[in-house]
Amino acid sequence: MVAESGSGAARGGRGGRAGGRTALGSRPARSVRLPPRRPTGAADAADSTGPWLRSAAAHAWRLILVGIVVYGLFAVLGRFQLIAVALFLALVITAVLRPATDLLGRFVPRPLAVALALVGSIVVLLGLFALVGDAVANESSKLADEFRNGVHRIEVWLQRPPFRLSQQKLSDLQDQIVHYLSAHRAGLLSSAVSGISRAVEFVTTGALALFASVFFLHSGERLWSWSRDEVVPGRARPAWDRAGRAAWRAFAGYTRGIIIVAATNAVLVGIALLVLEVPLALPLALLEFFAAFVPLVGSPVALGVATVVALAGRGPVIALVVLALIVIVGQLEGHVLHPLVMSWAVRLHPLVVAVSVLAGGTVAGVIGAVVAVPFVSVAWAVFRALRPGPPPAR
């Protein structure tokens, strides 16, 4: 009886708890709140979308927005190409002459220092062009005979193995060239006329660049301070100032470095051409100087022209020697001069430089190829300056 009564009490206790009553001596029941259930579709979408995909989507629309802004900027600059080129040249002039102007400014007033730096650089450039023109004028008669003999040597060379071109084929080729020139005389004349208009645009752009460089050299800091304080909102001014100064350091360092590299290439090529007695050595060295402003592409093109001149003036052996200079100068420029001279500027990978030059040349021709690498260098410097955290150690 006692056992049955105990078991019945136990059953009654369980039944009492199930019915909401609590037996004497037992613990009170605890209520557990379950989280609300999400809809089945939302749970499946959250589970199927990984964190990497959500992060990629968050960055993708930002990259699209940046791409739209960059495209719009280039579209606006394309409308005002001459003004953009003039301002770019003014910045180049400022980057080159700023150290000399600051040095002269210690002894003479700032306006006089700017005038001396600009006038002195113009006199040096005009003297260099006059030297090249005088060399060409003195060798003009001799060059005509050398090129005539050089063309004859090329014809004899083409008639030998491995080409074995007959005299009739060479005569037909000359006739085709003459016929092409006579048939396209109008097109060549229009090209010459457009070249004259291009020359007028070049002079206008140069004058505007000199005019702007005067103010950049004289009061560049004040212009920057005014644009920062009057245009940019207060909270963004420190970041704006940091990005602008990083961009100028990168641009100035790259400009001075590429000028040193171009001058070194021109001196080496000029000495080599003078030793090999190649005609037009000084003009070809000057061409090498200006061509070096297009990285990885300009120097081989200029030396290719020198190879053709050497082939016509000195024969195939000297031409092969000049052709070997393309490899030597390319290796020297890529592995010695750029790493050594560009140490203070933003150093880019050669693949980035090649893609930048190709993209700039595709978009804006020669001007785009020249501007592309400094533009990418400045963009990378601004990114590094605005990136949170300490800058990476060099």
Side-chain angles (χ1 to χ4, degrees):
M1 293 295 292
V2 175
E4 290 180 357
S5 62
S7 62
R11 286 195 299 269
R14 287 194 296 269
R17 285 194 298 270
R21 296 186 301 272
T22 304
L24 294 176
S26 63
R27 295 180 179 179
R30 296 180 179 178
S31 60
V32 179
R33 299 182 62 182
L34 299 176
R37 296 184 62 184
R38 292 180 297 181
T40 306
D44 295 340
D47 294 337
S48 61
T49 303
W52 63 270
L53 186 57
R54 291 194 295 269
S55 177
H59 287 82
W61 71 266
R62 292 179 173 87
L63 291 176
I64 292 174
L65 182 61
V66 172
I68 293 174
V69 172
V70 172
Y71 178 80
L73 178 62
F74 275 98
V76 172
L77 292 178
R79 293 286 184 179
F80 303 95
Q81 183 178 5
L82 292 180
I83 298 177
V85 173
L87 292 178
F88 175 79
L89 291 177
L91 291 175
V92 171
I93 295 172
T94 304
V96 175
L97 298 182
R98 181 65 181 272
T101 304
D102 293 340
L103 181 61
L104 292 173
R106 299 178 181 179
F107 307 100
V108 296
R110 187 72 180 184
L112 183 58
V114 173
L116 290 176
L118 285 174
V119 173
S121 61
I122 293 175
V123 169
V124 170
L125 285 178
L126 291 180
L128 183 61
F129 283 115
L131 179 62
V132 171
D134 184 67
V136 174
N138 292 333
E139 298 181 5
S140 58
S141 59
K142 180 181 178 181
L143 288 175
D145 296 335
E146 288 184 354
F147 277 107
R148 194 178 298 112
N149 296 330
V151 171
H152 178 69
R153 285 196 298 267
I154 293 175
E155 292 178 354
V156 174
W157 181 51
L158 292 175
Q159 292 175 6
R160 296 175 180 175
F163 300 100
R164 297 184 182 277
L165 295 178
S166 63
Q167 183 66 31
Q168 182 63 33
K169 291 182 179 180
L170 294 175
S171 300
D172 293 340
L173 181 60
Q174 293 178 358
D175 294 338
Q176 290 177 4
I177 295 174
V178 173
H179 177 72
Y180 177 83
L181 293 177
S182 61
H184 296 79
R185 185 178 303 170
L188 294 175
L189 183 61
S190 63
S191 299
V193 173
S194 64
I196 296 175
S197 63
R198 288 287 184 180
V200 174
E201 293 178 356
F202 177 77
V203 173
T204 305
T205 303
L208 181 58
L210 285 176
F211 182 75
S213 63
V214 170
F215 294 96
F216 290 164
L217 288 171
H218 180 265
S219 55
E221 287 288 340
R222 282 183 289 176
L223 290 175
W224 173 252
S225 300
W226 177 87
S227 64
R228 178 195 59 202
D229 298 336
E230 298 294 333
V231 179
V232 182
R235 293 183 178 180
R237 287 174 186 171
W240 177 267
D241 187 71
R242 186 168 65 253
R245 295 186 183 279
W248 174 248
R249 285 194 299 268
F251 181 82
Y254 177 84
T255 303
R256 296 164 189 166
I258 198 65
I259 288 179
I260 294 174
V261 171
T264 305
N265 287 350
V267 170
L268 294 177
V269 170
I271 293 174
L273 295 179
L274 287 174
V275 171
L276 296 173
E277 297 182 356
V278 176
L280 301 176
L282 289 179
L284 291 174
L286 187 63
L287 177 63
E288 168 66 22
F289 174 79
F290 288 108
F293 284 89
V294 183
L296 303 179
V297 178
S299 293
V301 172
L303 289 176
V305 176
T307 303
V308 174
V309 175
L311 179 63
R314 296 285 294 160
V317 176
I318 302 299
L320 290 176
V321 176
V322 176
L323 188 63
L325 283 176
I326 298 178
V327 180
I328 297 174
V329 172
Q331 295 296 320
L332 182 65
E333 179 181 352
H335 294 87
V336 178
L337 292 178
H338 271 283
L340 182 63
V341 177
M342 296 291 187
S343 58
W344 61 79
V346 178
R347 296 174 60 180
L348 301 175
H349 194 274
L351 180 60
V352 177
V353 175
V355 173
S356 302
V357 171
L358 182 60
T362 303
V363 173
V366 178
I367 296 176
V370 174
V371 176
V373 178
F375 178 80
V376 174
S377 300
V378 168
W380 177 242
V382 171
F383 173 77
R384 284 164 55 103
L386 298 179
R387 184 172 55 185
R394 287 183 174 269

